[in-house]
Each structure stands twice: as C-alpha cells, then as structure tokens.
Amino acid sequence: MKQIYDTAIIGGGAIGTATAYFLAKSGQKVLLLERGSVAGESSSKCDGNVQVGDSPAGTDTEMICKSLQLFPQVVKDLDLDVQWKSCTSMFAFETEAEQEAGRLLAEEKYAAGVPMRMLDKQEIHFLEPNLASDIPGGILTDGDGQVNPMLLCLGLLRRAVQYGAVFYTGTRVQSLEKTDGGFLIRTLEQDYRAVNVVAAAGVWTPDIGRMVGIEVPILPRQGQILVTETVNNFVHRTVTEFGYIMTRQESRDFVRNTTPDMEKFGVAALLEPTEGGTLLIGSSRRFDGYNIQNDDRVIRAMVQRVCRFFPKLADIHMIRCYAGLRPYTADHRPILSATPMEGFYIASGHEGSGIALSVITGLLMDELLCGRPLSLDLEPYRFSRFQEKVSGQTGGYARMNM
C-alpha cells in the first residue's frame, strides 16, 4: 500500500502486456494484474497472423500497417525469441464474382500503399499447388507477419519487468474504488493504488468497467481452431478464402456457396502453417456467451469448408481443437480511449486482431496516458462513440445488448 503506481493494467494478454511494455519503457511505474496466467485466455487460443488484407480501407488499414512497421522494432528489443517473421499471405477466390470484388479491394488497398496484387489461376496454383483445381485466382499480400502469440506476451512482459514493471498472476480484481489520488484496487491477496487504470481484459473488460459504473459495449464472440498432424510443405503461407472478409464484417451483401451451418457459425476457410509443421484450420464466429467448448457442428462445417479449397486435407488427421473468445464491438473497432471516469481507460475490443494490433495499441495507450502526440488519430476508437448511438438503431449501441 505504500507504493502508488502510475498505471495499473488489468489483463495479461497481448494488449495488456504490450501496454505494460511501452509504459514501463517510458519510465512509468506500472502494475499488471492478471486473474489467471499470462496469455492464458484469448491470446493462447488464436493464430499469430498479422495481416493487412482483411481490414477495411482507411483508418483500420493505417492502424495495421503501423503495427506491421512497429513489430520488428519491438521484437528486436525483446530478449525472447517470439518466432516473428515477415511473410506473404493469400486470399483465394471461390468464384469469378468474388474475383471482381477482390480486384476492387486490391486496387483500393494498393492505392493506399498496401503491397497487394491480383493472382490469376495459373499463378495461384503455382504458389499453392494443393488448392482445388477450380479456384480461379486470388490476392497476394507482401509484408505481412506471423508471431507466436504466447511467446509474444511472455516476451513483452519479461521486458516490461526489466524496465521496472511489477506483475502478479493468479490475482483477481475484486473491486475498484475512485479516490482523490486515483484508484484503490482490491484483490483477495492485497490492495493496490494507482493513479490510472487501463482495462485490457478482453471479453471480461465489461466486468472491470462495471466496478466504476461504466458499461463497456463488448461481447464475447467465440472462434474455434483445429490443429492437424505434422505435414510437410502442404501450404506455404496463410491462405484464407476471400469470403472471410465478409464473415468478419458480418456483411450481407455478398453471397457464398455455403451450407446453412457455415453461415450460422460464421465459417470461412483459413489454413495456416506453423513453425512446428502442423496446420491451423479456421475459422468460425458465433455468439454463445462465454462458452469455450468445441462444438461438433462447428468443427464439421469448418472441415467441410476448408476441404472445399484444399481437397487433399481430407486425408490428413486432425489431432486437437480448441476455442477462444474474441472481444467484439458492433463496429468491429477496438476501444482505445479515456472514459467519463477520470483516470479509467479502456484498451479492448480488438475481436480477431488482438495479436496483430497489440504493439500499436501498446504504443498508442502509452502516448495517450503520457500526453504525447499520438501516432494515429484515436477519434474512431473513442469510447463515447457508442454513447452517441440512438437506442434501437440497427448496428448501434442496442445491438451490443443482445
């Protein structure tokens, strides 16, 4: 209780550890509290892709580009190998109609400086021979990245500690009390004091917000991942169906040739090679509360969909599966913001981009709390945007209370 921290961060996943890293590096007295283990929740139940192709053009693309630029600098400063690498990634079209929509996206992104280019049928099958023979083309993106999510969190926290941060795992916050000097943070083990608090607890951020009377419009959106046996050179980069962009953004303007279960569970084909030689198979998106149990119906739909693009996967064994929760907001953008409660900040709501946007989020929160010029305009990510929605408006704040 004698120690008063400049900032207490609640949450030990990718966002929380990245924020701790940057604040501690800036010289702040940082406390990080995690109720379980570091990277024990969503950050350990995801892939490690850092991709620019699936983000909408404009501010969101600018944000992921800045994160991609920042990753090599941060990784170089860590004393742990987080398996970071720059790589290419691919979107595959199922139909000629998708091909035309993809062409418009690629042209828009290329004009914004994103290194994307169209692939015709011959090119895409030369790069990925195991794709289904009728796939008509795709998009290739240069300069994307991959990282091991769990090692990234551990590396960021380890370096933050070297910069002076203090962390406690297995420490659940019981209450937050606003005081003249900041906040009194009560846990079962002991109490802590901090001038500022950053809620970076992913899908559990609303629980932290309610402790200070703030309703945070974030919902848990479940995703499942399948893991195969070791396979050599089956796929050479992350390959995602173009329709993934539509499922992620909940677009109804784009019709795919899918089954009712695929649509119901937000299934889109994604295949990613890992450092260990296995393949990760995704993806799914559904609202099912805080349930992280795998569902046979979802798994079946995922396997059917990915085998549409890679038929030879039918001969490969799946060895395990797992599910995680993505922190979802109605406009698919994170909240990186101060709140009506002075000193209480939110860094959450990244949905499926928490790993990809971790380092840029950490930098922006550091700049925000320390009062330095921002590397990116945070207006689109402010908390108050949800309060300005009219109750009952489609896609607005009311959608978050479903």
Side-chain angles (χ1 to χ4, degrees):
M1 289 295 293
K2 294 180 180 179
Q3 173 73 61
I4 300 178
Y5 296 93
D6 295 315
T7 301
I9 300 163
I10 302 175
I15 302 302
T17 54
T19 302
Y21 165 81
F22 278 98
L23 285 171
K25 188 176 181 180
S26 292
Q28 280 214 4
K29 296 177 182 177
V30 175
L31 169 70
L32 185 144
L33 300 175
E34 164 56 45
R35 68 175 191 171
S37 58
V38 176
E41 295 291 349
S42 299
S43 294
S44 64
K45 299 168 183 175
C46 61
D47 59 37
N49 291 319
V50 185
Q51 294 178 309
V52 70
D54 56 1
S55 61
T59 300
D60 299 294
T61 291
E62 183 182 0
M63 189 177 193
I64 186 63
C65 285
K66 286 185 177 294
S67 197
L68 277 165
Q69 294 169 3
L70 190 58
F71 252 105
Q73 303 172 35
V74 172
V75 168
K76 186 177 180 180
D77 187 45
L78 306 182
D79 63 355
L80 181 67
D81 180 8
V82 299
Q83 298 176 1
W84 165 260
K85 65 177 180 179
S86 294
C87 57
T88 61
S89 59
M90 179 186 291
F91 284 99
F93 304 131
E94 186 178 15
T95 65
E96 292 183 0
E98 285 189 4
Q99 199 166 14
E100 182 55 32
R103 186 183 306 280
L104 295 175
L105 173 69
E107 290 175 352
E108 186 178 40
K109 293 259 193 173
Y110 186 81
V114 178
M116 299 180 73
R117 67 182 180 91
M118 293 289 290
L119 301 171
D120 61 24
K121 186 171 184 177
Q122 182 177 356
E123 289 175 309
I124 197 170
H125 286 92
F126 174 78
L127 292 172
E128 295 296 344
N130 284 317
L131 274 167
S133 60
D134 64 337
I135 297 301
I139 301 173
L140 188 72
T141 306
D142 292 318
D144 282 347
Q146 281 187 332
V147 69
N148 183 306
M150 289 174 283
L151 291 177
L152 175 66
C153 296
L154 292 171
L156 288 167
L157 185 57
R158 180 169 164 173
R159 195 72 172 111
V161 169
Q162 292 169 352
Y163 283 128
V166 175
F167 78 96
Y168 296 95
T169 57
T171 303
R172 184 187 294 268
V173 174
Q174 301 293 313
S175 68
L176 287 175
E177 298 176 20
K178 192 74 171 73
T179 66
D180 291 339
F183 293 88
L184 173 63
I185 307 164
R186 296 192 180 278
T187 74
L188 288 176
E189 292 76 17
Q190 69 176 84
D191 297 340
Y192 304 91
R193 291 188 181 274
V195 177
N196 301 305
V197 169
V198 176
V203 297
W204 294 276
T205 298
D207 296 337
I208 307 302
R210 281 189 284 271
M211 293 179 184
V212 290
I214 292 177
E215 288 297 321
V216 182
I218 288 174
L219 287 174
R221 197 181 189 191
Q222 190 206 70
Q224 299 192 36
I225 291 179
L226 317 179
V227 185
T228 74
E229 62 185 324
T230 301
V231 183
N232 293 320
N233 299 319
F234 185 89
V235 66
H236 302 90
R237 59 189 55 76
T238 298
V239 179
T240 311
E241 70 162 289
F242 183 72
Y244 173 90
I245 299 174
M246 310 307 162
T247 62
R248 179 169 178 169
Q249 298 299 321
E250 298 178 295
S251 172
R252 296 292 179 261
D253 301 328
F254 197 89
V255 178
R256 299 183 299 153
N257 183 24
T258 54
T259 67
D261 272 358
M262 291 175 192
E263 292 302 315
K264 179 180 179 180
F265 302 133
V267 169
L270 181 150
L271 192 65
E272 175 190 335
T274 71
E275 287 287 324
T278 60
L279 301 173
L280 300 185
I281 296 174
S283 65
S284 68
R285 282 177 162 81
R286 65 168 178 163
F287 295 102
D288 194 26
Y290 289 84
N291 176 26
I292 56 171
Q293 297 299 311
N294 286 99
D295 188 307
D296 289 346
R297 297 170 300 165
V298 180
I299 292 173
R300 188 177 297 110
M302 290 170 64
V303 169
Q304 289 173 346
R305 189 58 182 166
V306 77
C307 284
R308 159 66 184 99
F309 287 83
F310 290 93
K312 292 181 181 178
L313 275 175
D315 298 324
I316 294 173
H317 294 96
M318 181 181 76
I319 59 173
R320 65 186 181 97
C321 55
Y322 53 91
L325 301 173
R326 305 180 181 99
Y328 165 97
T329 68
D331 61 4
H332 305 283
R333 284 177 169 167
I335 303 170
L336 310 176
S337 177
T339 68
M341 173 67 71
E342 183 182 0
F344 185 78
Y345 295 80
I346 298 171
S348 190
H350 296 73
E351 199 173 335
S353 298
I355 301 300
L357 298 178
S358 58
V359 294
I360 187 61
T361 294
L363 175 63
L364 288 166
M365 295 306 295
D366 172 47
E367 293 169 345
L368 182 63
L369 269 75
C370 294
R372 291 197 297 274
L374 295 170
S375 299
L376 188 73
D377 180 14
L378 288 181
E379 179 69 13
Y381 308 102
R382 58 191 170 86
F383 171 75
S384 60
R385 72 188 190 268
F386 297 105
Q387 298 175 309
E388 295 165 2
K389 296 286 186 180
V390 177
S391 180
Q393 178 180 345
T394 301
Y397 184 81
R399 174 65 182 277
M400 298 304 301
N401 295 314
M402 60 186 178

